[in-house]
C-alpha cells in the first residue's frame, strides 16, 4: 500500500454554483458557452461575466455584479460563465489571462469588454451606456446641457422624416458603440439631433453630419469628403480630436505607466473628489471644469463660444428657478472694480454627509442707520469686509438654524463702527448650488430678486468669492481674479489638470499628505515630478472653484508663495520604554535644534535590512548615555519628508548635532562599522569639549553634575554586574547539576562497560570453543578426505584390473571362438566376475554422496558459530 | 421579539435606500478576516498532521497518513514550530519543544540532503531556540548562548560537516547522518546547495563560540565566487571535486536562488561588506544578461545568450530580496509581472514560458510554494500598497478553493486542471502560511521596528534582544540579529565600552578617538588593522575611489515612490 499511495492523485473538485440560485444572474458554472450564446438571442443587452471560482478578484466582483443585476435585471440579461473548469466549453474555447472578464453585447454588436473599476456604480454606468449609446437630444436646452458637460460630446444630425431610417444613422449608432470598446471609461458621449432647428444651433444643416463639440478650441464637423463615413473612422476621429481640459485618471490596478506618462509631461494638478457616475449632476465637477476651461481659454474670440452664449441667453426664459439651470444666467463677466461690498459666506455644515449648506450673503450696508456724509466708500475695501466678517462670525449662531428655501435677512451692527450696518441674507442650498454662488464673474441673480422682494433698498448686491483663509487670499484677489483666464498660455509653468475619484483612489491623496481623519474626501495637490516637489491645497479650505483658481495662480506666479509640502507620519507610536526618540517632520526642529542636548539622529526606513539589524545597537547606546544631556533619536524618512538640506540619499545615515553647535552637524563616516565602541568614540570626538575653559563656579557646578551622572552610571553598572553575577551563579549551579549528572552518567557507563566486558569474555570463550569444534571437524574432514582418496585409489586399481580382465576376456574370447564348443563351461564363470564389478561402482557413488553431506553440515555449523560471535 | 419584528422591515427599507456602494476596490480588504482565515488554514493542516502523520516528516493529505521525505525528523513539526508562536499559540509551542527534545534523534542511518537539513532542521531549531524565551519556555541561565534546542541544532549541523571535506571546500549534496559521505557519492551539487549555509552556520558559530560552522560556510561561498564565469555569472550545478560547471544555465531561480539570498542576508546579519560586494557584482551581471522587461530569464553562464525564456515559481523571492536592499521600484515592477501569472492559474507553475504565456510541459505543478507571498510581505512593509494585500487575498481564496481537502492541503499537481497530489510539503506550514499571516498582521512582533525590545542578562553580560530586524532564513525561520552580538565574543567590546564611558565622565578628554574600520575580509583579519589615525584617512581615500557610499546601506526612496501604488510604476529619469 505504501508504494501505491505515492501515485495517488485526485482530480479537481467538480464546479458548483458561484452565484446563489436566487440571484438575478444566470450562473453557468459548468462553463456552458454554447448555452450562453443561445441566451443571447433572448435579450437586447447581455452582460457576460466570465469567472474562475478560485479567483479572488472574481469573488470580490461577484457582489458588485449582483448589485448591478438587481437594478437592471428587467432590461439586461446577466450571464455568469465559469471559464475555468477544463471540461466546460468555455475553457476549451476561450483563453483568458485574468479573471473576471466582462463582455457586453448590444444585440449582435460585441463583445464590448468592460475594463473599468470593479465597482457597481461604474459597471452600471457602463451598462447603461451600452443600452443607450446615443442620447436623443430633443430640444435646445437639452443640447445645451449635453454640450456644456465636461466630457467631450459628439452630436450627429439625422432627419427622420424622409425615410424610416436616414442614411448613415446606423453607422453613427455603431460608432457610438464602437467608441465604448476603445474608450471603456466612456468619456466621449454621443448624441443625436433630429430637429432641424436644434441642429442649426450648432450650424449643422445637412442630415448625416457629425459634430464634435469643444470648449477651448474650435468645434469640428466630421470631414466626410476626406474620411470614409465608417463607424471606426468616426470613433477614431472623435478620439483624436477630443479636448482634454481635465482628465480622469483611473489606474486599472495592473502594472501601468499611466501616472508616469502623465506626470512626466510637466507639473500636474491632481484633484480628488468623490464621484458617483450614476448621479444626475456633478456640481463640484462642473465647477472644476469651469476653472479648467478658464485656465485653458487662451483665445477669447472663438467661434463656438458666442454661439453657445447666444443659445443660453435665448433659452433662459424657459428655465424656471430650477437649480440645475441657474448656472446659465451667470455667464456674463463684470469688472471687479464695480463690485459692491458683499461676500458669500458658507456656514459650516452640521455633519459631513449633509448635502446642504447654509449660505449667507453678507453685505456692508450704508443705507441703514446713520450715514455720515463724509465717509464714502466707493469700492469694497478689504478692511470693511474683514470687519463685516468678524462681526458676522460673532453672530453666526443666529443663522445656524435656518433650513428653508426662502431667504431670510437680518441686519446687525458693526462690531467696530456704530455707523455701519451689515445685512446678511441666508438660505439653505444644495451643495452643488454652492458652486454657482461662489464662482466668480457671475451675478447672483436669484437672491437678488429675493432681496428686493424683502424690501431692501440695496439691490445691487453682487457676490465675490469668499475664502475662509482670508489672510493670504483677499489681498491678491483683485490682481489675480482677472487673470486665471488663459493663464495656461501665459505662464511657463503650465499645469495639466487631472481628476481622481477619491472613492477609488484616495490612497494617492493620503500619500501626498491628505489627512486621514477627514470625512470629506476632497483634496487637491500640484505634483511636479521633475522638481520632486508637491504642493497641497490647504485642507481646511473647502474645495471650490475660487480656492482652486487661487491655488493655480499661486503656483504660476514668479515668486510662488506655495511651500513644498512635507508629508508627515501622524501614526507615530512612541516607544514603550522611551529609549529612542521617534522624530517626525513636525517634531524634527523641536527635537533636534531646539533641545538643549546633544542629539544623535539616525535616518532609517523600516524596510531597509541594514537599518533594522542595527536597532539593538542604538537601543544599547541610548541606555548607556546620560539622558539629561543626550538624545538618541531616529526618523523614518519613508514616512517623513524633511527640508532638502536635511535629507540624505542613503540609509542608514547617522548624524550628530552637538549641543550649542547644532548647525555644525557631523556625519558618522560610512566606512566604519556601526557598533557601540565606534559610536561612542564618534560622539566623544564631536561632543562639546569643556577642558579648555578656565574653571569658574559655574564650571564646578557643571563638573559636579557630570560626576553625579557618572555616579549614577556607575551605580547602574554595578547593578548590571550584580545581575550578571546572579546569572553566573545560576549558570554555575546549572553546570554543577550537569556535572553531577554527567558523573552519574559516567558511573552508569562504567558499569555498563564492565557488564559489556564480561559479556565480551563469555563470547570470546564461546568463540574459542567453536573454534575448537571447528578445528576438530576440520580434522575429521581431512581424515575423511584421505579415506576417500584411498577408496578412489582402490577403485582406480579395480578399474585397471577390470580393463585388464576385459582385455584378457577379449583375448580369451578370440581363442574361445576358435575352440568354442570345447570351452563352454568357462563362459559362465566370466559372467560372474562382471557382476562383481557393477556392485563395486555403486559403492563408490554412495561414499561420494556422504562426503557432500558432511561438508554441508560443517558449513552450517560454521556460519551459526559466526552469528553467535 | 416584538420590537424586532417591528424593526425588521424598517431596516430593510433603509438598506435599500442607501446609495450604490462604491465597490470592493474602495472598501479595501478586510485584513482581520483574512488573517483569521489564514489562522484557520494553519490549524486545519497542523492538526491533521499531528493526528495522522506524526512522527513522520510529512502529511499525505489524500490518503491521510504520513511519510518520511527528507530524513526522519518529524520535519513538519520542526518547520511549523515558529509559525505557532507567530500565530500567538504559546502553549502549543512549549508542548512541541518538549516533544522534539525527547523524540528527535539524529543518530540515524539516513541519507539526508545537506541543504534541506540545514535550512529546515538547523534553521527551524535555531529560530525556535531564539524565540523560546518569548514563547514563555523556561530557559536555562546561559540562554541564548546555550539551551537544549541550540544543542540539537548544533548536533544536526555537526552531522553535515563531513560533506564540506572536499578539495574545494564546496560540500557534497548528500550525507549519511551516521556514516558521513557515502563512498561513491556524486560530487555534483547545485549552486544553492553550496551557498546556503552562512545564515544558520554563522548564527551557530556566534551562539556556541565554535567558529567551524561559519568557516566552512564562508569557504564554500568563496569557492563559488572564485569559480564564477568571466561575465560574472554562476551556473546551476558544479562538481565539488574538480570545480567544473556541470550545468551552465545561469539565472536567479531553481538551483541558484538561495545563494544570492544568503549573500544579502549574510551581509545584513553579519554587517559584512565582502558578502554584499559579491552580491552587488552578481546583481550587475544578472541585470545585464538575464533581465528583460522586468522578467529574469535563463542564460548560458559564459556567453550570456538566452537558454530558456522561462519564469520559475522559485524566482518569485527576488522582489522581496530587492526590497531588503532598497531597490523597491524594480522589485515592484517584477512583482507585478509575476502576479499576472498567478491571476492566470490561481498559483505559480514551476515553469512558465514567458513568450508563449503558458505552462511548460511536466512543470505544471504548484506545491503551495511561498515565494510570491514572501515578496508581497516584504514589499508591503516598504510600500503599504493595497495591491499586495490583494495578492494575499487571491492566495487565500485559491489555496482554500483548490487544494483544501479533508485531511489538509494538497500540492497542486497540475495548474491547468487543478489536479491534486498526495503531498503537503513542510514549507507550507513553515513559510506559505507564515508569510500570509504576517502580510495580514502588520502589528505582529516579527514586524517590530525597534520600538520594543527585551533586556536579557547572561553570564556574558547584558544583551538587548528582540529589537526587530529579524532575518528570515530561506525556510522562513526568523533569526534575531541582536542575538549574534550576545555571546562569547562580547567581552572585549564591553571592556572597550567601559573605558569609553569612563572617558565620558572625566573632565579632560585625553585620548584621540579613532574609529575601527569595518572588517572588509571577514572578522578574522580584524586584528591586523593598525589602529592609528593615519589609517583612517588613508582608508577613506582608498575607499572613496572605489565607491561613493557604504555597501551596507539602502538608497532612500525617490519622490515618485509616493505615487507608485496600485500598479503604477515609474521609469527612471536616467
Amino acid at each position: 500500500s505504501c508504494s501505491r499511495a505515492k501515485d495517488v492523485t485526485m482530480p479537481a473538485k467538480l464546479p458548483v454554483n458561484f452565484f446563489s440560485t436566487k440571484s438575478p444572474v444566470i450562473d453557468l458554472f459548468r462553463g456552458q458557452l454554447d448555452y450562453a450564446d443561445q441566451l443571447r438571442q433572448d435579450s437586447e443587452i447581455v452582460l457576460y461575466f466570465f469567472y474562475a471560482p478560485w479567483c479572488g478578484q472574481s469573488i470580490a466582483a461577484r457582489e458588485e455584479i449582483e448589485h448591478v443585476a438587481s437594478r437592471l435585471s428587467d432590461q439586461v440579461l446577466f450571464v455568469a460563465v465559469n471559464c475555468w473548469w477544463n471540461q466546460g466549453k468555455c475553457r476549451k474555447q476561450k483563453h483568458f489571462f485574468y479573471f473576471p472578464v466582462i463582455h457586453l453585447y448590444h444585440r449582435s454588436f460585441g463583445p464590448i469588454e468592460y475594463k473599468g473599476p470593479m465597482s457597481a456604480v461604474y459597471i452600471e454606468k457602463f451598462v447603461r451606456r451600452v443600452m443607450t449609446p446615443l442620447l436623443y437630444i430633443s430640444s435646445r436646452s437639452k443640447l445645451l446641457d449635453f454640450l456644456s458637460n465636461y466630457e467631450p460630446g459628439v452630436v450627429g444630425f439625422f432627419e427622420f422624416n424622409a425615410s424610416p431610417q436616414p442614411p448613415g444613422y446606423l453607422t453613427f449608432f455603431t460608432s457610438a458603440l464602437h467608441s465604448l470598446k476603445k474608450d471603456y471609461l466612456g468619456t466621449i458621449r454621443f448624441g443625436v439631433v433630429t430637429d432641424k432647428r436644434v441642429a442649426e444651433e450648432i450650424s449643422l444643416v445637412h442630415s448625416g453630419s457629425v459634430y464634435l463639440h469643444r470648449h477651448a478650441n474650435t468645434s469640428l464637423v466630421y470631414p466626410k469628403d476626406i474620411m470614409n463615413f465608417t463607424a471606426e473612422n468616426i470613433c477614431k476621429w472623435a478620439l483624436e480630436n477630443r479636448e482634454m481640459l481635465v482628465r480622469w485618471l483611473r489606474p486599472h490596478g495592473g502594472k501601468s505607466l499611466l501616472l508616469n506618462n502623465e506626470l512626466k509631461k510637466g507639473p500636474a494638478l491632481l484633484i480628488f473628489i468623490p464621484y458617483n457616475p450614476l448621479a444626475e449632476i456633478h456640481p463640484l465637477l462642473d465647477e472644476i471644469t469651469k476653472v479648467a476651461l478658464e485656465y485653458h481659454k487662451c483665445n477669447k474670440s472663438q467661434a463656438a463660444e458666442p454661439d453657445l452664449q447666444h443659445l443660453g441667453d435665448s433659452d433662459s426664459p424657459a428655465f424656471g428657478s430650477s437649480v440645475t439651470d441657474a448656472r446659465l444666467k451667470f455667464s456674463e463677466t463684470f469688472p471687479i472694480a464695480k463690485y459692491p461690498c458683499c461676500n458669500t459666506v458658507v456656514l459650516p455644515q452640521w455633519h459631513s454627509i449633509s448635502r446642504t449648506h447654509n449660505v449667507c450673503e453678507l453685505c456692508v450696508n450704508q443705507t441703514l442707520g446713520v450715514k455720515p456724509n463724509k465717509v464714502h466708500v466707493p469700492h469694497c475695501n478689504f478692511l470693511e469686509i474683514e470687519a463685516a466678517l468678524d462681526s458676522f462670525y460673532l453672530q453666526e449662531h443666529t443663522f445656524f438654524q435656518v433650513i428653508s428655501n426662502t431667504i431670510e435677512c437680518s441686519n446687525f451692527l458693526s462690531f467696530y463702527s456704530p455707523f455701519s450696518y451689515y445685512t446678511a441674507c441666508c438660505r439653505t442650498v444644495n451643495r452643488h448650488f454652492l458652486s454657482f454662488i461662489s464662482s466668480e464673474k457671475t451675478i447672483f441673480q436669484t437672491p437678488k430678486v429675493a432681496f428686493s422682494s424683502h424690501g431692501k433698498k440695496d439691490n445691487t448686491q453682487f457676490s465675490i468669492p469668499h475664502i475662509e483663509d482670508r489672510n493670504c487670499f483677499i489681498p491678491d484677489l483683485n490682481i489675480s481674479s482677472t487673470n486665471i483666464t488663459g493663464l495656461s498660455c501665459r505662464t511657463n509653468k503650465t499645469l495639466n489638470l487631472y481628476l481622481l475619484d477619491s472613492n477609488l483612489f484616495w490612497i494617492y491623496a493620503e500619500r501626498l499628505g491628505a489627512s486621514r481623519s477627514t470625512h470629506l474626501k476632497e483634496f487637491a495637490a500640484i505634483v511636479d515630478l521633475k522638481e520632486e516637489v508637491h504642493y497641497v491645497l490647504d485642507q481646511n479650505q473647502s474645495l471650490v472653484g475660487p480656492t482652486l483658481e487661487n491655488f493655480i495662480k499661486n503656483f504660476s506666479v514668479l515668486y510662488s508663495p506655495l511651500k513644498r509640502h512635507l508629508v508627515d507620519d501622524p501614526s507615530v507610536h512612541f516607544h514603550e520604554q522611551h529609549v529612542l526618540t521617534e522624530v517626525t517632520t513636525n517634531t524634527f526642529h523641536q527635537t533636534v535644534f531646539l533641545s538643549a542636548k546633544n542629539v544623535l539622529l539616525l535616518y532609517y526606513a523600516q524596510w531597509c535590512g541594514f537599518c533594522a539589524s542595527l536597532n539593538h545597537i542604538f537601543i544599547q547606546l541610548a541606555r548607556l548615555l546620560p539622558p539629561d544631556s543626550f538624545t538618541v533619536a531616529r526618523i523614518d524618512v519613508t514616512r517623513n519628508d524633511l527640508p532638502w538640506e536635511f535629507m540624505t540619499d542613503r540609509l542608514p545615515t547617522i548624524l550628530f548635532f552637538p549641543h550649542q553647535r547644532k548647525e555644525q552637524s557631523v556625519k558618522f563616516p560610512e566606512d566604519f562599522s556601526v557598533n557601540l565602541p565606534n559610536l561612542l568614540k564618534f560622539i566623544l570626538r564631536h561632543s562639546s569639549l569643556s577642558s579648555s575653559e578656565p574653571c569658574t563656579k559655574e564650571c564646578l557646578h557643571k563638573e559636579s553634575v557630570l560626576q553625579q551622572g557618572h555616579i549614577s552610571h556607575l551605580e547602574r553598572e554595578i547593578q548590571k554586574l550584580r545581575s550578571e553575577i546572579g546569572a553566573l551563579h545560576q549558570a554555575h549551579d546549572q553546570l554543577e547539576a550537569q556535572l553531577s549528572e554527567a558523573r552519574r552518567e559516567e558511573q552508569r557507563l562504567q558499569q555498563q562497560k564492565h557488564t559489556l566486558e564480561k559479556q565480551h569474555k563469555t563470547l570470546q570463550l564461546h568463540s574459542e570453543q567453536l573454534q575448537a569444534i571447528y578445528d576438530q571437524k576440520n580434522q575429521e574432514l581431512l581424515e575423511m578426505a584421505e579415506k576417500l582418496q584411498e577408496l578412489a585409489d582402490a577403485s582406480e586399481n579395480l578399474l585397471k584390473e577390470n580393463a585388464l580382465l576385459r582385455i584378457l576376456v577379449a583375448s580369451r574370447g578370440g581363442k574361445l571362438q576358435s575352440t568354442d564348443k570345447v570351452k563352454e563351461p568357462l563362459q559362465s564363470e566370466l559372467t560372474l566376475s562382471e557382476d562383481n564389478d557393477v556392485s563395486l561402482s555403486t559403492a563408490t557413488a554412495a561414499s561420494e554422496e556422504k562426503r557432500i553431506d558432511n561438508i554441508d553440515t560443517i558449513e552450517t555449523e560454521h556460519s551459526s558459530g559466526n552469528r553467535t560471535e | 421579539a416584538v420590537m424586532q419584528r417591528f424593526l425588521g422591515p424598517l431596516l430593510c427599507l433603509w438598506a435599500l435606500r442607501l446609495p450604490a456602494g462604491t465597490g470592493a476596490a474602495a472598501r479595501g480588504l478586510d485584513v482581520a478576516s483574512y488573517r483569521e482565515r489564514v489562522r484557520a488554514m494553519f490549524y486545519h493542516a497542523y492538526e491533521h498532521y499531528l493526528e495522522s502523520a506524526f512522527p513522520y516528516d510529512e502529511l499525505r493529505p489524500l490518503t491521510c497518513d504520513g511519510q518520511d521525505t527528507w530524513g526522519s525528523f518529524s520535519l513538519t513539526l520542526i518547520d511549523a514550530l515558529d509559525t505557532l508562536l507567530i500565530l500567538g499559540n504559546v502553549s502549543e509551542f512549549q508542548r512541541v519543544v518538549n516533544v522534539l527534545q525527547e523524540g528527535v534523534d539524529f543518530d540515524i542511518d539516513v541519507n539526508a540532503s545537506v541543504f534541506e537539513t540545514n535550512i529546515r532542521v538547523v534553521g527551524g531549531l535555531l529560530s525556535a531556540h531564539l524565540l523560546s524565551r518569548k514563547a514563555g519556555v523556561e530557559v536555562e541561565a546561559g540562554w541564548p548562548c546555550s539551551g537544549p534546542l541550540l544543542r540539537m541544532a548544533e548536533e544536526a549541523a555537526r552531522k553535515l560537516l563531513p560533506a564540506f571535506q572536499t578539495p574545494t571546500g564546496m560540500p557534497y549534496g548528500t550525507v549519511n547522518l551516521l556514516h558521513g559521505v557515502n563512498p561513491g557519492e556524486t560530487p555534483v551539487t547545485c549552486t544553492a546547495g553550496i551557498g546556503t549555509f552562512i545564515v544558520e552556520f554563522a548564527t551557530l558559530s556566534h551562539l556556541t563560540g565554535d567558529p567551524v560552522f561559519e568557516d566552512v560556510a564562508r569557504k564554500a561561498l568563496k569557492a563559488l565566487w572564485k569559480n564564477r564565469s568571466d561575465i560574472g555569472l554562476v551556473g546551476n550545478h558544479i562538481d565539488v571535486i574538480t570545480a567544473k560547471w556541470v550545468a551552465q544555465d545561469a539565472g536567479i531561480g531553481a538551483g541558484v536562488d538561495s545563494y544570492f539570498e544568503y549573500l544579502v542576508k549574510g551581509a545584513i546579519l553579519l554587517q559584512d561588506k565582502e558578502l554584499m560586494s559579491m552580491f552587488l557584482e552578481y546583481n550587475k551581471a544578472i541585470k545585464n544578461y538575464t533581465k528583460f522587461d522586468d522578467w529574469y530569464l535563463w542564460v548560458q553562464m559564459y556567453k550570456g545568450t538566452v537558454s530558456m525564456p522561462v519564469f520559475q515559481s522559485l524566482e518569485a523571492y527576488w522582489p522581496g530580496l530587492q526590497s531588503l536592499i532598497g531597490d523597491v521600484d524594480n522589485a515592484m515592477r517584477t512583482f507585478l509581472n509575476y502576479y499576472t501569472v498567478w491571476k492566470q492559474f490561481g498559483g505559480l507553475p514551476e515553469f512558465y514560458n514567458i513568450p508563449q504565456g503558458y505552462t511548460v510541459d511536466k512543470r505544471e505543478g504548484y506545491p503551495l510554494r511561498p515565494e510570491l507571498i514572501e515578496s508581497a510581505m516584504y514589499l508591503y512593509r516598504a510600500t503599504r500598497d493595497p495591491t499586495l494585500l490583494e495578492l494575499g487575498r487571491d492566495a487565500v481564496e485559491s489555496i482554500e478553493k483548490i487544494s483544501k481537502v479533508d485531511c489538509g492541503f494538497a500540492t497542486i499537481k497540475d495548474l491547468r486542471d487543478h489536479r491534486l497530489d498526495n503531498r503537503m510539503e513542510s514549507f507550507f506550514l513553515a513559510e506559505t502560511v507564515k508569510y500570509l499571516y504576517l502580510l495580514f498582521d502588520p502589528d505582529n512582533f516579527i514586524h517590530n521596528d525597534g520600538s520594543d525590545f527585551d533586556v536579557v542578562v547572561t553570564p556574558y553580560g547584558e544583551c538587548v534582544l528582540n529589537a526587530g530586524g529579524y532575518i528570515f532564513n530561506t525556510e522562513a525561520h526568523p533569526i534575531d540579529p541582536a542575538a549574534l552580538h550576545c555571546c562569547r565574543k562580547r567581552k572585549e567590546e564591553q571592556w572597550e565600552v567601559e573605558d569609553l564611558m569612563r572617558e565620558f565622565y572625566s573632565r579632560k578628554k585625553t585620548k584621540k578617538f579613532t574609529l575601527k574600520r569595518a572588517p572588509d575580509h571577514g572578522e578574522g583579519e580584524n586584528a591586523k588593522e593598525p589602529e592609528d589615525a593615519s589609517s583612517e584617512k588613508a582608508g577613506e581615500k582608498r575607499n572613496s575611489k572605489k565607491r561613493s557610499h557604504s555597501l551596507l546601506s539602502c538608497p532612500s526612496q525617490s519622490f515618485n515612490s509616493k505615487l507608485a501604488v496600485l500598479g503604477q510604476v515609474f521609469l527612471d529619469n536616467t
Side-chain angles (χ1 to χ4, degrees), chain A residues 9-10 13 119 255-256 259 503 508 511 608-609 615 634 638 641 648 651 678 681 685 703 707 717 734, chain B residues 22 26 141 294 337 383 404 419-420 449 467 498 505 507 513-514 516 554 556-557 562 565 567-568:
Chain A
T9 64
M10 192 171 93
K13 288 160 235 174
S119 141
K255 187 175 171 186
S256 131
L259 285 181
N503 291 327
Y508 293 112
R511 290 305 187 97
C608 175
N615 285 343
R634 60 174 194 170
T638 347
D641 289 341
T648 166
L651 305 170
N678 272 355
K681 284 180 199 165
R685 187 198 275 179
E703 176 70 23
Q707 288 316 320
E717 283 300 305
Q734 192 181 305
Chain B
T22 44
D294 300 325
N337 279 3
T383 66
K404 185 173 181 179
R419 173 171 283 275
L420 300 178
D449 62 351
E498 285 301 308
Y505 290 107
R507 232 180 63 73
F513 302 100
T514 54
K516 231 183 255 175
C554 307
S556 49
Q557 277 184 298
K562 285 187 202 303
V565 287
Q568 292 305 305

Side-chain angles (χ1 to χ4, degrees), chain A residues 62-327:
Chain A
R62 172 172 60 189
E63 210 180 307
E64 307 292 320
I65 289 290
E66 280 202 308
H67 190 90
V68 180
S70 68
R71 286 170 58 96
L72 293 174
S73 56
D74 50 334
Q75 300 158 75
V76 179
L77 186 66
F78 287 84
V79 184
V81 187
N82 177 351
C83 216
W84 176 258
W85 191 45
N86 63 332
Q87 309 289 317
K89 278 245 165 59
C90 187
R91 176 73 189 278
K92 283 175 181 156
Q93 288 177 25
K94 292 195 185 289
H95 182 65
F96 291 129
F97 282 91
Y98 56 88
F99 297 95
V101 175
I102 295 176
H103 282 174
L104 284 136
Y105 282 87
H106 185 115
R107 290 221 177 87
S108 61
F109 188 90
I112 304 167
E113 188 178 351
Y114 173 72
K115 293 176 187 153
M118 280 300 156
S119 141
V121 277
Y122 278 87
I123 298 170
E124 184 179 337
K125 176 74 180 175
F126 191 77
V127 175
R128 286 186 186 278
R129 288 292 277 274
V130 174
M131 286 158 67
T132 46
L134 278 185
L135 194 75
Y136 174 55
I137 300 167
S138 55
S139 67
R140 284 173 175 182
S141 65
K142 282 202 173 150
L143 179 64
L144 189 72
D145 253 5
F146 184 79
L147 296 181
S148 63
N149 194 295
Y150 70 100
E151 286 172 333
V154 175
V155 182
F157 169 46
F158 295 95
E159 267 185 311
F160 273 78
N161 41 11
S163 59
Q165 200 175 65
Y169 174 72
L170 198 64
T171 312
F172 185 63
F173 184 85
T174 316
S175 80
L177 279 174
H178 202 81
S179 83
L180 289 172
K181 269 189 177 177
K182 296 243 164 72
D183 174 31
Y184 60 88
L185 300 171
T187 52
I188 301 186
R189 297 151 331 109
F190 284 74
V192 63
V193 171
T194 55
D195 188 339
K196 212 169 179 176
R197 279 168 303 167
V198 179
E200 274 168 9
E201 297 292 346
I202 45 172
S203 340
L204 293 185
V205 188
H206 304 290
S207 173
S209 29
V210 175
Y211 165 90
L212 172 68
H213 182 72
R214 301 200 290 187
H215 294 279
N217 300 299
T218 334
S219 299
L220 299 174
V221 173
Y222 183 75
K224 272 189 188 173
D225 38 344
I226 303 166
M227 295 166 86
N228 284 336
F229 196 76
T230 62
E232 281 88 353
N233 277 351
I234 296 170
C235 182
K236 206 174 128 202
W237 167 78
L239 277 170
E240 276 168 7
N241 293 300
R242 72 180 154 170
E243 205 175 51
M244 301 282 267
L245 294 178
V246 49
R247 224 189 115 173
W248 278 105
L249 295 180
R250 291 197 185 98
H252 52 66
K255 187 175 171 186
S256 131
L257 283 168
L258 178 70
L259 285 181
N260 177 70
N261 294 341
E262 293 302 326
L263 298 182
K264 288 255 162 93
K265 289 176 185 166
L269 172 60
L270 304 179
I271 305 162
F272 295 83
I273 53 167
Y275 177 68
N276 179 2
L278 295 174
E280 293 277 310
I281 41 163
H282 301 283
L284 186 55
L285 196 55
D286 291 334
E287 198 176 333
I288 292 165
T289 323
K290 207 168 273 176
V291 174
L293 190 59
E294 282 300 318
Y295 183 64
H296 287 292
K297 199 184 276 173
C298 296
N299 181 10
K300 273 195 157 186
S301 56
Q302 274 171 40
E305 195 62 27
D307 244 9
L308 248 181
Q309 207 60 61
H310 162 72
L311 187 68
D313 286 347
S314 62
D315 254 7
S316 56
F319 301 135
S321 54
S322 131
V323 169
T324 7
D325 296 327
R327 78 182 99 119

Side-chain angles (χ1 to χ4, degrees), chain B residues 88-159:
Chain B
N89 192 341
V90 177
S91 55
E92 179 66 7
F93 183 96
Q94 293 169 3
R95 190 188 73 82
V96 174
V97 165
N98 287 329
V99 169
L100 290 181
Q101 277 179 58
E102 284 157 21
V104 176
D105 183 15
F106 298 112
D107 278 322
I108 42 174
D109 186 8
V110 160
N111 293 330
S113 157
V114 180
F115 168 81
E116 300 287 352
T117 310
N118 175 51
I119 64 166
R120 302 191 197 213
V121 179
V122 179
L125 290 171
L126 274 178
S127 89
H129 164 70
L130 290 175
L131 293 173
S132 55
R133 189 172 177 275
K134 202 171 190 71
V137 175
E138 214 165 286
V139 295
E140 50 186 64
W143 188 90
C145 315
S146 72
L149 291 172
L150 179 63
R151 285 190 285 277
M152 282 173 76
E154 189 184 346
E155 195 195 338
R158 285 204 191 277
K159 299 279 180 191

Side-chain angles (χ1 to χ4, degrees), chain B residues 124-365:
Chain B
L125 290 171
L126 274 178
S127 89
H129 164 70
L130 290 175
L131 293 173
S132 55
R133 189 172 177 275
K134 202 171 190 71
V137 175
E138 214 165 286
V139 295
E140 50 186 64
W143 188 90
C145 315
S146 72
L149 291 172
L150 179 63
R151 285 190 285 277
M152 282 173 76
E154 189 184 346
E155 195 195 338
R158 285 204 191 277
K159 299 279 180 191
L160 305 179
L161 287 180
F164 288 85
Q165 256 131 48
T166 62
T168 56
M170 297 189 278
Y172 281 99
T174 308
V175 71
N176 186 293
L177 295 185
L178 204 59
H179 308 304
V181 179
N182 288 319
E185 178 64 48
T186 173
V188 177
T189 309
C190 70
T191 310
I194 293 163
T196 313
F197 294 94
I198 190 74
V199 170
E200 295 86 0
F201 277 25
T203 306
L204 258 183
S205 282
H206 277 76
L207 292 182
T208 62
D210 184 349
V212 66
F213 301 106
E214 186 172 344
D215 289 348
V216 295
R218 273 188 194 277
K219 204 177 161 205
L221 283 177
K222 277 179 191 160
L224 278 177
W225 173 247
K226 219 175 73 192
N227 285 301
R228 69 192 189 280
S229 75
D230 289 341
I231 58 174
L233 294 170
V234 286
N236 218 287
H237 286 84
I238 195 167
D239 185 321
V240 298
I241 307 292
T242 61
K244 288 267 180 314
W245 288 100
V246 180
Q248 303 188 342
D249 289 311
I252 59 168
V256 199
D257 47 5
S258 48
Y259 171 42
F260 296 136
E261 183 185 340
Y262 271 37
L263 285 178
V264 171
K265 290 184 173 171
I268 293 173
L269 192 67
L270 304 167
Q271 293 288 309
D272 190 313
K273 288 185 181 177
E274 194 193 8
L275 297 182
M276 196 58 201
S277 71
M278 285 184 200
F279 175 79
L280 290 174
E281 285 297 313
Y282 282 129
N283 196 25
K284 237 183 264 168
I286 287 164
K287 264 188 192 160
N288 272 345
Y289 294 100
T290 75
K291 190 177 175 188
F292 294 90
D293 201 15
D294 300 325
W295 295 99
Y296 294 87
L297 313 182
W298 289 82
V299 302
Q300 213 285 338
M301 65 175 283
Y302 291 106
K303 295 179 223 149
T305 49
V306 175
S307 59
M308 281 192 296
V310 152
F311 156 61
Q312 298 180 352
S313 175
L314 283 169
E315 290 167 12
Y317 75 102
W318 188 255
L321 193 65
Q322 284 180 310
S323 87
L324 264 185
I325 58 168
D327 200 358
V328 182
D329 302 352
N330 281 316
M332 205 58 211
R333 293 220 292 265
T334 301
F335 174 86
L336 289 166
N337 279 3
Y338 295 169
Y339 190 13
T340 61
V341 181
W342 183 289
K343 285 179 177 164
Q344 194 180 344
F345 296 104
L348 292 186
E350 292 287 40
F351 282 41
Y352 178 81
N353 187 310
I354 297 160
Q356 287 173 7
Y358 212 65
T359 56
V360 173
D361 193 35
K362 304 249 166 50
R363 295 277 198 274
E364 302 96 346

Side-chain angles (χ1 to χ4, degrees), chain A residues 323-351:
Chain A
V323 169
T324 7
D325 296 327
R327 78 182 99 119
L328 294 167
K329 299 173 186 172
F330 312 141
S331 43
E332 278 185 63
T333 56
F334 277 75
I336 195 126
K338 287 184 187 167
Y339 275 57
C341 254
C342 281
N343 204 347
T344 309
V345 180
V346 182
L347 291 185
Q349 284 162 281
W350 296 320
H351 50 91

